[in-house]
Amino acid sequence: MNDEAALETVAWFHCFAGIAGDMALGSLFDAGADVDEVHSLLQRLDLPGWDLRVEEGIRGGIACTRVRVSGDDVVVRTHGAISALVADAALPSRVTERALAVFRRLAVVESALHRRPLDQVHFHEVGGHDSIVDIVGTAAALEVLGIDVVTASEVATGSGTVRSAHGWLPNPAPATVRLLEGVPTYGRDVRLELTTPTGAALLAALSSTFGPMPEMMITSSGFGGGAGELPDLPNCTQVVIGQRAEPAGVGRGQPALLLETNLDDATGEQLGHAIAATLDAGALDAWVTPVTMKKGRPGHVLHVLADAINAEALRREIERSTGTMGVRAAPVERWPAARELAQVTVEGMTIRMKVTRGRAKPEFEDVALVASKTGAPLHEVSSRAEEAWRAAARRQPGPDQSPA
């Protein structure tokens, strides 16, 4: 048995004065993320007309890094448009996944608040140059620093009211409150938006746990400064970066919730719709199993795997899409394999591949499209896609792309 322990790099965000997109990005620059590398990745976005300035600052006597994104951008973008912008940028796979997860979390909340379908959600403040650069830039900076796991402290919020594109809103804003569901928070008597929707979305989408600084060997730290000074504390977000050992055996997994409901009157079409609806609402996975219920009646159980922070929205979606009279939940852990996205070409058409260690699986929708246009059997197209990936991996193998 191999008793060696693998090392993983952890970033812990200390949100004692809240968090915003520019503060998160500034803290990562302050902790050592190379500005030129992050800037180079951001330039892959088809987003002209912005400029990123990184400056030294002082907040409450603490040296920090300030990030300023300039550009006259008044475009109101939809979630679908921003997702396409990020997906088409040819960013490293983990940068793409993290950025899309943040925007999706924002879209799920805005969809619930404004009663709009997900891809028709219009982003106002978070659809401009500054928020896009803050979110994608934070994902890029995490990658430049080699961060494997993101964690965070309890999150401070302000009080009073804040001005938004929708007018005056309570502080913290409704979107921020929704995003912080399931996250330990507390309020400070500060008439300032300490935690913004962008900052809350970064934590909600990327943090695996919340609480005190995790056990690790600290390697660096930094402070990202907010706009202006606060009277009683530094207006900063701190990040602490370090390494910790992950046991070679089964270690602690990512926490999740398994939502379930028993259904005895749902048709196959309704069950399929419920699975699709919960996945669209942010479920990690969803499936149905047949069961025998009381009095020998046949039925089904809908299972929905969810982040705890998204559980309430998914519970409502399960009730809406199935008409069930109750949903139960149980805490679980999961160990998702690290994956990357790749592409191969079959018959002149692109097939996307999910790549894990030693295996690549073609996306079924792409395989089906090629099969329908060429007349080839599905299994043949799938085999050709896997062989194309193995051939490419042999020419240029990567650490997670060793041919099976």
Side-chain angles (χ1 to χ4, degrees):
M1 176 181 291
N2 184 6
D3 293 328
E4 291 185 2
L7 292 178
E8 60 182 7
T9 304
V10 181
W12 178 69
F13 285 99
H14 191 189
C15 307
F16 60 90
I19 184 169
D22 60 336
M23 295 165 74
L25 181 55
S27 70
L28 293 169
F29 282 142
D30 207 50
D34 187 271
V35 175
D36 290 336
E37 285 189 57
V38 174
H39 193 270
S40 177
L41 289 172
L42 285 169
Q43 286 182 318
R44 299 185 187 183
L45 294 168
D46 185 14
L47 188 72
W50 59 272
D51 180 59
L52 175 67
R53 288 183 295 164
V54 181
E55 307 167 346
E56 295 181 352
I58 298 289
R59 292 291 180 266
I62 293 179
C64 63
T65 295
R66 285 277 292 130
V67 169
R68 301 177 189 271
V69 180
S70 59
D72 186 16
D73 184 20
V74 294
V75 177
V76 178
R77 295 178 172 87
T78 65
H79 171 241
I82 291 180
S83 294
L85 178 74
V86 175
D88 293 344
L91 295 161
S93 60
R94 199 158 55 169
V95 177
T96 300
E97 290 169 7
R98 282 170 167 165
L100 289 178
V102 176
F103 283 115
R104 182 180 184 84
R105 193 58 62 93
L106 281 163
V108 168
V109 166
E110 291 292 337
S111 175
L113 287 173
H114 301 294
R115 306 277 201 277
R116 280 180 172 271
L118 207 61
D119 276 358
Q120 294 179 23
V121 168
H122 288 78
F123 290 139
H124 295 273
E125 286 91 344
V126 297
H129 284 161
D130 52 351
S131 293
I132 294 174
V133 171
D134 287 343
I135 290 171
V136 180
T138 296
L142 290 169
E143 189 67 13
V144 168
L145 290 168
I147 303 300
D148 302 306
V149 178
V150 176
T151 67
S153 70
E154 297 177 333
V155 182
T157 61
S159 61
T161 57
V162 293
R163 183 183 288 278
S164 75
H166 302 289
W168 286 98
L169 296 174
N171 181 24
T176 299
V177 173
R178 287 287 186 98
L179 288 160
L180 292 177
E181 287 180 3
V183 176
T185 62
Y186 62 98
R188 290 186 178 276
D189 189 15
V190 175
R191 304 285 173 164
L192 185 69
E193 190 178 28
L194 298 181
T195 296
T196 67
T198 300
L202 286 165
L203 296 182
L206 304 182
S207 294
S208 59
T209 58
F210 294 88
M213 186 191 306
E215 180 180 348
M216 59 178 164
M217 184 70 71
I218 296 173
T219 56
S220 66
S221 64
F223 289 89
E229 291 275 11
L230 295 176
D232 299 321
L233 77 162
N235 185 15
C236 297
T237 296
Q238 182 186 27
V239 69
V240 180
I241 296 171
Q243 291 189 324
R244 67 183 182 192
E246 182 67 19
V250 177
R252 184 177 59 187
Q254 293 179 0
L257 283 179
L258 184 60
L259 307 179
E260 296 178 331
T261 187
N262 291 6
L263 303 167
D264 62 1
D265 58 355
T267 67
E269 292 86 352
Q270 290 170 330
L271 293 171
H273 169 72
I275 291 174
T278 52
L279 290 172
D280 286 343
L284 300 170
D285 200 358
W287 65 97
V288 168
T289 55
V291 294
T292 300
M293 304 177 68
K294 61 185 179 181
K295 300 181 181 180
R297 294 199 306 264
H300 296 85
V301 178
L302 172 64
H303 312 266
V304 177
L305 189 64
D307 282 327
I309 197 167
N310 206 23
E312 179 60 22
L314 284 166
R315 180 188 66 79
R316 292 194 297 267
E317 182 54 48
I318 292 170
E319 292 174 346
R320 188 196 67 79
S321 60
T322 67
T324 184
M325 300 179 72
V327 178
R328 60 184 175 271
V332 297
E333 290 186 329
R334 70 186 194 118
W335 290 265
R339 66 187 63 183
E340 295 185 355
L341 299 178
Q343 293 182 347
V344 298
T345 301
V346 174
E347 295 290 343
M349 288 174 276
T350 297
I351 294 181
R352 294 166 295 168
M353 307 287 291
K354 289 180 182 176
V355 181
T356 59
R357 186 174 296 277
R359 186 189 179 197
K361 182 179 179 181
E363 290 284 2
F364 178 79
E365 292 83 359
D366 295 351
V367 171
L369 179 62
V370 174
S372 68
K373 293 196 173 186
T374 63
L378 284 168
H379 67 84
E380 179 182 323
V381 175
S382 182
S383 295
R384 291 179 63 183
E386 292 177 13
E387 178 54 38
W389 171 80
R390 283 193 289 268
R394 283 192 292 268
R395 289 194 297 270
Q396 191 174 7
D400 293 326
Q401 295 182 327
S402 301

